[in-house]
Amino acid sequence: MAGQLADRRDDAVKICLVGAGGGIGRQLLKTFAVNHAVSAVYRTLPQHLPAAAEAVRFEDDDGLTQAVRNADVVVHAALNTKARGKDFIPANRQVTERLLGLIIPETCRLFVYFSSQVVYAALDPVTHPVQGEDAKLTDRPGLDNYTRLKLAEEERVISACREKGIDYLIVRPTVVMGPNMQWSSGIVSAMRMAPFGLKQRTINLVHVADLADQLLALIDRGVSNEVVNLGDLDVSSDDYFRHAARLAGRPIFFAPNWLSGAAGKAIPSTLWFLAHNVRVDTDKVRRLSGVATNRQLGDFFEPPARIVDARSLDAIREVVRSGRPYHAIGRGYFLWFNDRLASDQVIMEHYSGVLRMEDDLLTVRAGTTLRAVLDYLAPSQMTLGTLPEFVDISAGACFFAEVHGSSADYISVYDLITAIRYVDVDGVEKYSQRDDLEWDRLREGNGIIVTEVTFRCRANHRLANVIEWHPDHKLESYVGGGYLANFSTTVHWYPRSREMMVYNVNPLSDDHPRDRGPFAPMRGSPAAMQKLLLALRLRGRLRIVGWSERVLAPWTGVPAKQLIGKVFRDARRRFRNMEICVPDHCAAAFIGRLREKMPEMGLSPGQGLGVRFTRQPSTGRGFVWVEMTSRNAEQMHAMIDMARNACGGVFWLHRGKYVPSWIGVEHLFIPRLGGATPVLPELSAPPLSTREGITDRHAGDDRQECR
């Protein structure tokens, strides 16, 4: 029977992977799915389902039964870590028994059980200084629940498989390393708080990617009815802890020998290899799998990210050509609302400055902020055609992110860009004039850094902003096309108090003694506070009047920006800000779903949502943007689900704000050729001279791209 799988090399092996959501399971799924058909079994389905596998819930009886019964190989890599204390062993035994009860010899040719090297805690370390697969293991007093579980389950799996005539494979991973794993990323984080280590111990490491390769090779080669250690490199604990402390930027303190000896008796059996200096034999897996690795100690850890201040083109080229993963950072607030990225940071802030102005075309370096662009244009009575409210944003970020205002003429600042220079994957700087097909490809990819941007500018003009409060039932009239009556419209919607604040901005036709100059709004405030602030600012005035860049972009800068960023980024429950965009033809359905689900989302009394409108008159495409700030990311995930249901998957997230890790690039920029969005008949709109409008509370992306 062992050779039957090996004879099927021309056909994909059907693998049922139970525990696909764990750290090891995710890598197994990635490795297996390259050449085999995989059913991935989860206790809780992930937000972003794997495209290369069929996803199944463990609690779905019919789905699980079908996945197991249709598989040639069943891999049991699941562990219920939520069960604690006396419930831990019974809960996990139940999972194993359920799987063993489902496998049948007519379809299942191999059952793979993930045990662990912790079973060697059952051996006497003096008489067994080298831990091999052939050692006889028995339970003994003092073993913790995890160790006892693995010892009992190994015997149970072997017994059940023999009874059914199904081959088995027991695998015992050593210390598993890799991105976001406990013994690599986790130990470095721990060292930042407590840089202590133990000396004179031997630790066998295995990278999670190599572990997956080893197991796949064992399956492909038809290895069965064996117990195999999955491991790779022996290192001394001295070197291991010293390396982790170095990555954490901390000096290492080793426990003295007398303390290590005393502590050894208190170390749980799960960490038996830290209590005694023993070695795990990994010769068998090398022989049976044929997988050879050449990793050194540093290769098991994620390399520390570099921060490169890109002040010259040569510095940018060096990063691109280094072969290391990187992401370019400009100015904005992407890092406020998203988790830190582990790749190198290319800081573009100082690669800035105006290069030239030719007619109405202004060329700047990518790190130049929109604030600097407006300051340069002001003496010439020029400006940009659309603006976000917050203009401390890099020009280069405007190419990759939809840095939008609330415009009936442009979707975002990206539409004002006529040419770029960029460094390609080979480190060569190239020039590209606007080509929507080519630029859609460049925006979707992860292989360039924009170095220069050329904007088309226009004559400056004065605008009047009228602020009104309305019952929120009027929101649908704006969403249904009412926004077209104005040059710009912004709504701040307070669902709990059933009201909304509306900014309507229009070209100024006449002056009025009750006008006042622009001021920075605080539209993120609760409704009561917002009314108080507006009353204090307006003092009975009717309109806010000023030049376009002061009315459309009143935030010239954020006071104490670093402090505000730290609050958003480092709060115990960090704040997130997400903005989702839907085509206007399905916006009413999206808003309807929002209204319906609001009670379930648990919005706080003063919490509001920003609603903005942009348009591309040349194609007749309109877009509605809905923004939320919250400590509860699940509220934002619910909005994504609603957009997917209301718009058939045609929606986008602002790339400069919170973007969940499971969102694909197809949801991060709006294709300008109209291929992803139905082109609707153009809605009529009044001419510019008669429209009224609003400003936009919107900031841009401080991440250019990530390679």
Side-chain angles (χ1 to χ4, degrees):
M1 191 177 294
Q4 293 181 13
L5 285 176
D7 294 335
R8 301 185 55 178
R9 291 304 86 221
D10 294 334
D11 298 316
V13 175
K14 297 177 182 177
I15 301 175
C16 177
L17 173 60
V18 185
I24 293 176
R26 288 192 295 270
Q27 181 62 51
L28 293 176
L29 175 58
K30 181 179 179 181
T31 301
F32 291 171
V34 173
N35 293 314
H36 298 302
V38 183
S39 294
V41 179
Y42 299 87
R43 185 167 296 278
T44 301
L45 291 178
Q47 289 280 357
H48 184 55
L49 296 176
E54 176 189 7
V56 180
R57 284 181 61 248
F58 184 79
E59 298 301 331
D60 178 0
D61 291 337
D62 293 339
L64 179 64
T65 299
Q66 184 177 0
V68 173
R69 293 281 170 86
N70 289 341
D72 303 308
V73 177
V74 176
V75 178
H76 177 11
L79 182 70
N80 185 352
T81 57
K82 293 184 178 180
R84 302 295 177 90
K86 63 181 179 59
D87 297 327
F88 177 79
I89 292 179
N92 282 282
R93 291 291 298 270
Q94 185 178 21
V95 172
T96 303
E97 290 299 330
R98 187 175 179 189
L99 296 175
L100 291 175
L102 289 175
I103 58 174
I104 55 176
E106 289 78 10
T107 54
C108 182
R109 300 295 179 260
L110 181 68
F111 186 86
V112 180
Y113 177 73
F114 262 80
S115 184
S116 169
Q117 67 166 358
V118 301
V119 297
Y120 295 126
L123 297 176
D124 184 338
V126 176
T127 57
H128 293 87
V130 178
Q131 316 286 3
E133 294 93 338
D134 296 332
K136 183 174 178 57
L137 306 175
T138 56
D139 198 350
R140 65 169 178 81
L143 299 181
D144 59 26
N145 283 342
Y146 182 66
T147 306
R148 292 170 52 220
L149 171 72
K150 293 304 179 183
L151 284 169
E153 295 248 282
E154 284 191 10
E155 291 186 3
R156 174 59 183 146
V157 167
I158 293 172
S159 174
C161 286
R162 284 175 175 170
E163 287 180 11
K164 292 193 172 190
I166 297 173
D167 288 345
Y168 65 85
L169 180 63
I170 307 293
V171 292
R172 297 169 177 168
T174 57
V175 175
V176 184
M177 307 283 285
N180 303 313
M181 302 298 287
Q182 179 181 358
W183 288 99
S184 46
S185 302
I187 198 69
V188 172
S189 297
M191 282 291 167
R192 294 192 179 101
M193 297 181 289
F196 295 98
L198 297 174
K199 296 187 295 181
Q200 299 177 358
R201 302 288 187 266
T202 300
I203 305 175
N204 186 275
L205 311 178
V206 61
H207 196 282
V208 67
D210 297 334
L211 176 150
D213 289 340
Q214 288 175 344
L215 179 56
L216 181 58
L218 294 174
I219 294 172
D220 285 346
R221 289 184 169 205
V223 175
S224 63
N225 302 324
E226 295 278 4
V227 177
V228 182
N229 295 330
L230 301 183
D232 183 14
L233 181 68
D234 281 332
V235 299
S236 72
S237 60
D238 308 51
D239 292 339
Y240 172 82
F241 286 112
R242 187 178 290 111
H243 188 87
R246 187 181 306 117
L247 293 178
R250 296 288 189 270
I252 184 67
F253 298 97
F254 287 106
N257 292 338
W258 65 267
L259 181 59
S260 297
K265 298 179 181 179
I267 292 176
S269 58
T270 300
L271 302 176
W272 62 273
F273 56 92
L274 294 179
H276 310 282
N277 188 32
V278 293
R279 186 172 66 84
V280 177
D281 186 358
T282 56
D283 291 339
K284 188 174 183 178
V285 70
R286 293 186 177 90
R287 173 171 51 83
L288 293 179
S289 71
V291 174
T293 61
N294 295 302
R295 294 186 191 268
Q296 301 302 311
L297 175 59
D299 300 328
F300 290 89
F301 292 87
E302 294 178 84
R306 297 182 302 164
I307 298 179
V308 180
D309 191 355
R311 294 179 179 268
S312 69
L313 189 59
D314 287 341
I316 296 172
R317 285 172 170 159
E318 187 277 326
V319 170
V320 173
R321 290 170 176 167
S322 70
R324 293 165 56 101
Y326 66 85
H327 56 279
I329 296 293
R331 290 286 293 274
Y333 48 54
F334 174 86
L335 295 180
W336 291 7
F337 304 122
N338 292 273
D339 297 328
R340 288 183 174 89
L341 300 173
S343 51
D344 290 351
Q345 290 186 16
V346 187
I347 307 299
M348 299 295 292
E349 180 176 352
H350 297 106
Y351 195 78
S352 61
V354 174
L355 297 176
R356 56 190 170 277
M357 180 82 180
E358 298 173 349
D359 298 326
D360 62 346
L361 300 179
L362 177 67
T363 301
V364 300
R365 285 184 167 175
T368 310
T369 64
L370 296 184
R371 176 76 268 157
V373 168
L374 295 174
D375 289 345
Y376 180 85
L377 293 173
S380 303
Q381 296 297 304
M382 299 287 285
T383 190
L384 297 177
T386 187
L387 290 167
E389 180 179 77
F390 178 71
V391 289
D392 198 17
I393 303 162
S394 300
C398 295
F399 180 82
F400 291 97
E402 302 292 356
V403 180
H404 70 85
S406 295
S407 172
D409 294 316
Y410 303 100
I411 299 174
S412 72
V413 179
Y414 169 80
D415 296 279
L416 308 177
I417 300 175
T418 64
I420 60 169
R421 287 187 185 275
Y422 64 91
V423 173
D424 69 7
V425 293
D426 298 317
V428 178
E429 188 178 45
K430 295 183 177 179
Y431 176 77
S432 175
Q433 291 188 319
R434 188 172 191 106
D435 178 331
D436 284 328
L437 183 62
E438 173 66 11
W439 283 16
D440 279 354
R441 185 186 66 81
L442 290 176
R443 298 174 87 195
E444 185 178 25
N446 287 325
I448 70 169
I449 294 182
V450 170
T451 54
E452 292 181 14
V453 180
T454 300
F455 294 107
R456 186 176 298 281
C457 309
R458 57 155 294 168
N460 207 343
H461 53 291
R462 284 164 62 79
L463 297 173
N465 178 9
V466 177
I467 306 174
E468 299 174 334
W469 288 84
H470 295 287
D472 71 347
H473 66 76
K474 291 189 176 182
L475 177 60
E476 278 74 6
S477 65
Y478 280 100
V479 172
Y483 72 91
L484 289 167
N486 302 295
F487 173 66
S488 172
T489 295
T490 295
V491 174
H492 198 83
W493 175 24
Y494 295 96
R496 290 285 296 269
S497 57
R498 298 182 179 178
E499 59 187 336
M500 61 183 191
M501 180 181 65
V502 183
Y503 281 32
N504 284 322
V505 177
N506 290 296
L508 185 68
S509 57
D510 61 340
D511 291 315
H512 191 280
R514 296 183 70 181
D515 294 340
R516 72 143 294 166
F519 57 85
M522 296 296 292
R523 281 199 298 275
S525 307
M529 183 181 298
Q530 185 64 259
K531 291 178 180 179
L532 175 62
L533 291 172
L534 287 175
L536 294 174
R537 294 285 183 89
L538 289 173
R539 300 188 186 90
R541 312 280 178 85
L542 298 178
R543 303 182 304 183
I544 300 170
V545 172
W547 292 103
S548 64
E549 76 272 8
R550 290 299 312 280
V551 175
L552 295 178
W555 279 111
T556 57
V558 178
K561 179 182 176 183
Q562 297 301 322
L563 176 61
I564 295 174
K566 186 174 180 60
V567 170
F568 277 116
R569 185 180 60 248
D570 298 334
R572 184 177 63 86
R573 288 184 59 205
R574 70 178 303 170
F575 288 93
R576 307 279 189 180
N577 178 282
M578 187 185 77
E579 192 160 18
I580 193 165
C581 173
V582 299
D584 61 0
H585 68 86
C586 63
F590 175 56
I591 295 296
R593 288 178 182 271
L594 271 177
R595 282 194 187 277
E596 179 184 349
K597 296 294 184 181
M598 282 297 174
E600 301 174 21
M601 293 175 67
L603 268 65
S604 59
Q607 190 175 353
L609 288 85
V611 185
R612 297 158 183 82
F613 308 89
T614 64
R615 192 158 184 81
Q616 189 181 39
S618 62
T619 62
R621 296 195 296 170
F623 304 90
V624 178
W625 304 76
V626 180
E627 177 185 14
M628 174 187 284
T629 299
S630 175
R631 291 176 181 266
N632 184 1
E634 292 305 317
Q635 292 177 344
M636 301 174 188
H637 299 166
M639 288 177 60
I640 295 173
D641 290 338
M642 287 180 241
R644 180 178 287 110
N645 292 332
C647 304
V650 182
F651 65 90
W652 301 274
L653 267 63
H654 189 288
R655 199 170 192 165
K657 300 185 179 180
Y658 171 55
V659 178
S661 59
W662 39 270
I663 289 293
V665 70
E666 70 275 10
H667 295 298
L668 295 180
F669 71 93
I670 301 170
R672 288 310 189 266
L673 292 183
T677 306
V679 178
L680 303 177
E682 177 115 26
L683 298 177
S684 58
L688 178 64
S689 59
T690 61
R691 284 186 264 165
E692 300 177 5
I694 119 179
T695 182
D696 170 57
R697 182 183 183 267
H698 178 68
D701 192 3
D702 63 344
R703 184 179 73 162
Q704 268 201 30
E705 56 84 28
C706 181
R707 176 173 177 238

